[in-house]
Amino acid sequence: MAVSKRNIVITGGAGFIGSHVVRLFVNKYPEYNIINLDKLTYAGNLANLKDVEDKPNYKFVKMDICDFDAFYKLMQEEQIDGIIHLAAESHVDRSIKDPFTFARTNVMGTLALLQAAKLYWESLPEGYDGKLFYHISTDEVYGALKMNKPEGVEPPFSTTASSTEHHLAYGDDFFYETTKYNPHSPYSASKASSDHFVRAYHDTYGMPTIVTNCSNNYGPYQFPEKLIPLFINNIRKGKSLPVYGKGENVRDWLFVEDHARAIDVIFHNGKVAETYNIGGFNEWKNIDLIKVMIKTVDRLLGNPEGHSLGLITYVTDRLGHDARYAIDSTKLQKELGWEPSLQFEEGIEKTVKWYLDNEAWLDNITSGAYEHYYEEQYSNR
Ligand code: NAD
Ligand code: TYD
């Protein structure tokens, strides 16, 4: 697809993955206008983008994606060509406690963006030409895979991150682009629903859309309620590490900057109406990953090996806890030439170092002070 999309809205840009996507686009494409649209919920934090906030091609707009009128006006005023939609409620545990908020933001919010984009783009002489609605989704919509690794076969732990050289770690199947949707949590059900709406706008109205489904991300700026930053923070503070169930659930981890690079490649070269799975062939059992984190944090803090192992505390399992996620990203690798850049060992080292070097960022969030700061900064906008 030709690069004709210059005025771009990235929703959810002050959250974890969105901030990496905004940073990449603002730095890489000085000729684009990048608008970061975010409501700044508890998960949105403008400190994530301090390094780009003064760039001339960057603008922040505080807005709720459910606000159809405001978004339609923004589309008109900024003559938006492309939407990269990441804003969402994203934490499974919160969705179990409060599913309504997830349906509101993830389903109704996505629908509001789609309908506003439809009305605006259909009003233009060129119609949908050179336009794109790119929806960022999760592999969790596919449900859960079985754990049926043959006895005696050890997981690779360090994969080559290449589809031709990896092998299955904990089961005999992957999520493919063709895998039937089968979401289990309120979070994944809401994301699945939003994916269906996006595809419906292509199939019904001809809107150019792309959906991508990515595995678990890790890296800098992740809100410390998710496993990796929560545990790094707790280890440094000597607090207990709540492992759900037996810690045997498997997740497939991708470094967040690799996800952002995939989004760049797909936004520019992806085929309209296609789905791409994004992942690094990097499956880990939670408990093994936790032990690597403990080892890395202890080493970097100068603690003796094994110092923080005693913090592991097995707690009641998450309701409906999905056993295993593992994504096959061969299509993306073969068709668009994307590959993850980091081995997991490098990625986790880089991530732990980042959180330890940015204790003020962590402390600010965990103290809750940042919410008041943003209330003051943006309450009048
Ligand atoms: P996050 O929770 O860190 O950030 C979400 C952002 O969306 C926040 O900045 C928040 O303020 C904003 N937001 C929430 N509700 C909003 C609303 N109503 N209006 C406007 N903004 C709102 O999430 P994340 O982990 O960065 O995930 C981003 C996207 O990627 C989500 O769509 C998620 O489903 C998807 N995804 C995440 C992962 C992962 O491992 N984190 C993996 C695959 C896909
Ligand atoms: P999480 O980071 O919440 O991502 P997701 O649920 O979207 O995969 O959790 C990753 C895994 O870690 C998941 O299997 C749940 C588990 N987990 C814990 O064992 N303890 C925790 O405190 C958290 C937050 C997660």
Side-chain angles (χ1 to χ4, degrees):
M1 181 180 299
V3 183
S4 56
K5 306 176 287 286
R6 284 171 184 270
N7 298 331
I8 299 165
V9 169
I10 300 176
T11 71
F16 168 46
I17 303 171
S19 64
H20 288 274
V21 177
V22 167
R23 177 176 298 101
L24 177 67
F25 273 66
V26 167
N27 288 328
K28 190 169 171 188
Y29 302 108
E31 71 280 21
Y32 291 3
N33 299 314
I34 305 297
I35 297 168
N36 171 14
L37 186 162
D38 200 298
K39 182 183 174 185
L40 299 180
T41 66
Y42 78 95
N45 182 355
L46 285 178
N48 297 357
L49 285 170
K50 269 234 137 322
D51 52 323
V52 299
E53 68 185 11
D54 295 327
K55 298 264 171 140
N57 61 337
Y58 171 75
K59 181 151 124 187
F60 172 69
V61 173
K62 182 169 159 59
M63 192 184 289
D64 188 331
I65 56 165
C66 298
D67 190 341
F68 167 85
D69 292 334
F71 187 66
Y72 181 65
K73 199 162 159 240
L74 182 83
M75 292 284 298
Q76 286 181 313
E77 281 172 3
E78 300 286 348
Q79 300 174 22
I80 297 302
D81 309 302
I83 298 165
I84 306 179
H85 176 35
L86 296 104
E89 290 292 339
S90 68
H91 190 42
V92 174
D93 292 328
R94 285 179 189 258
S95 82
I96 294 168
K97 292 201 185 92
D98 176 19
F100 281 97
T101 302
F102 282 68
R104 180 188 179 274
T105 290
N106 298 358
V107 185
M108 295 306 288
T110 301
L111 184 55
L113 299 182
L114 284 164
Q115 183 63 12
K118 171 186 183 292
L119 292 186
Y120 171 62
W121 286 337
E122 287 185 354
S123 75
L124 299 175
E126 74 271 25
Y128 287 122
D129 248 17
K131 310 291 185 262
L132 183 65
F133 190 108
Y134 177 6
H135 179 62
I136 308 302
S137 193
T138 166
D139 62 353
E140 301 189 25
V141 298
Y142 297 123
L145 291 162
K146 287 203 176 69
M147 304 262 281
N148 50 0
K149 177 179 85 71
E151 277 305 305
V153 177
E154 284 314 309
F157 290 136
S158 173
T159 63
T160 56
S162 152
S163 60
T164 49
E165 292 169 64
H166 79 280
H167 58 276
L168 290 154
Y170 286 108
D172 60 7
D173 207 3
F174 283 116
F175 294 137
Y176 302 95
E177 285 84 356
T178 49
T179 300
K180 198 162 97 29
Y181 274 32
N182 186 20
H184 297 143
S185 74
Y187 164 64
S188 54
S190 67
K191 290 297 290 186
S193 171
S194 64
D195 295 7
H196 290 319
F197 269 108
V198 174
R199 295 193 180 103
Y201 267 65
H202 172 267
D203 296 349
T204 307
Y205 308 111
M207 180 184 287
T209 60
I210 292 179
V211 176
T212 55
N213 300 85
C214 188
S215 60
N216 284 62
N217 285 214
Y218 71 98
Y221 299 110
Q222 187 167 30
F223 195 85
E225 64 184 352
K226 305 277 170 64
L227 179 75
I228 290 185
L230 175 74
F231 277 36
I232 294 172
N233 193 38
N234 284 9
I235 299 166
R236 90 180 163 103
K237 296 210 147 168
K239 285 164 70 174
S240 73
L241 306 174
V243 180
Y244 298 164
K246 294 181 177 158
E248 293 199 331
N249 303 64
V250 170
R251 295 292 181 265
D252 187 355
W253 294 95
L254 182 69
F255 191 62
V256 62
E257 289 175 14
D258 281 330
H259 189 187
R261 280 194 310 105
I263 290 172
D264 177 21
V265 168
I266 293 163
F267 181 75
H268 290 97
N269 302 317
K271 261 171 73 184
V272 163
E274 291 286 319
T275 298
Y276 298 91
N277 279 353
I278 308 173
F281 295 103
N282 180 42
E283 289 179 58
W284 284 78
K285 249 185 205 178
N286 289 341
I287 192 64
D288 294 326
L289 171 58
I290 289 161
K291 286 179 182 161
V292 171
M293 280 195 279
I294 291 174
K295 202 169 170 180
T296 311
V297 178
D298 275 343
R299 176 168 47 76
L300 292 173
L301 289 180
N303 294 330
E305 188 159 347
H307 174 81
S308 302
L309 278 173
L311 298 175
I312 291 178
T313 311
Y314 291 93
V315 299
T316 311
D317 208 352
R318 173 186 277 173
L319 295 176
H321 198 170
D322 284 338
R324 171 175 172 252
Y325 303 145
I327 201 137
D328 183 292
S329 59
T330 307
K331 174 177 170 181
L332 173 61
Q333 299 201 6
K334 286 210 169 126
E335 291 185 11
L336 299 181
W338 170 90
E339 284 216 335
S341 65
L342 280 188
Q343 295 282 314
F344 190 61
E345 287 77 358
E346 288 170 68
I348 206 76
E349 178 90 9
K350 216 169 148 172
T351 301
V352 171
K353 270 198 182 124
W354 187 87
Y355 286 100
L356 296 181
D357 289 347
N358 289 275
E359 292 188 327
W361 183 91
L362 269 176
D363 289 339
N364 197 31
I365 286 181
T366 47
S367 74
Y370 83 108
E371 288 186 34
H372 303 300
Y373 168 73
Y374 290 113
E375 270 163 31
E376 280 163 29
Q377 293 287 307
Y378 292 100
S379 57
N380 297 325
R381 295 194 177 191

